Amino acid sequence: MALFVHLTPAANTVRLRRSGVRAAGRGHGGGHGVYCFPVLPCYTLTHQWLQELARDDDHRRFVAVHIRLDDDQPVTVGHYTNRPLRVTAGEAVRIVRALPNPRGWEVFVPRTVTVREIHRVRGVAPDAGRHPEGAFDCPCAAVRVGEPVLS
């Protein structure tokens, strides 16, 4: 089972615990689905998209929805500026973990995520994924010097 994180405003918590994460995002092919990112050993890299999501409203609180998907679940993976690859969830995790710099990469699940697939919902630190003045606040070597996340 592959573990991913989906970031959403805290106001959505009750709804997603009741009915899952709805497919509100639009993929590159125009279909609806859920954007997420593999859970990595580095907290800052795992929650990197929070910086972009919170950019418009610094006062909004977000939660991290941890999602478990079967390894053979079809997803797409790629950098947000490029056309994504169609792979399985397990392969998407392997691709992102092998990258020397996974910032800007995303995984797209082309469907709603069910309540049974939600592993946990947790609050995230308001500054998770943020790097003041370009400096990285994460102690792991991957963030500090651009080394691979997993050796």
Side-chain angles (χ1 to χ4, degrees), residues 3-22:
L3 186 61
F4 297 91
V5 65
H6 169 76
L7 299 169
T8 189
N12 296 340
T13 303
V14 172
R15 182 184 47 78
L16 66 88
R17 286 182 194 259
R18 182 180 59 240
S19 56
V21 183
R22 69 184 160 126

Side-chain angles (χ1 to χ4, degrees), residues 85-97:
L85 302 168
R86 290 177 188 250
V87 296
T88 63
E91 184 63 22
V93 171
R94 282 188 286 280
I95 289 170
V96 172
R97 283 184 175 222

Side-chain angles (χ1 to χ4, degrees), residues 11-86:
N12 296 340
T13 303
V14 172
R15 182 184 47 78
L16 66 88
R17 286 182 194 259
R18 182 180 59 240
S19 56
V21 183
R22 69 184 160 126
R26 299 279 265 167
H28 285 273
H32 292 281
V34 175
Y35 281 99
C36 55
F37 190 79
V39 173
L40 301 176
C42 175
Y43 185 86
T44 300
L45 286 175
T46 299
H47 299 88
Q48 64 176 306
W49 284 106
L50 184 61
Q51 181 178 1
E52 296 301 320
L53 294 172
R55 182 174 298 222
D56 295 332
D57 185 4
D58 285 335
H59 303 293
R60 184 184 296 183
R61 288 185 43 233
F62 283 83
V63 294
V65 183
H66 290 249
I67 302 165
R68 284 201 185 275
L69 298 176
D70 288 331
D71 285 340
D72 59 349
Q73 166 68 47
V75 299
T76 61
V77 64
H79 193 271
Y80 77 98
T81 60
N82 299 331
R83 189 138 188 98
L85 302 168
R86 290 177 188 250

Side-chain angles (χ1 to χ4, degrees), residues 77 94-103 105 142 146-150:
V77 64
R94 282 188 286 280
I95 289 170
V96 172
R97 283 184 175 222
L99 293 169
N101 182 0
R103 288 183 208 89
W105 281 67
E147 296 174 1
V149 174
L150 296 177

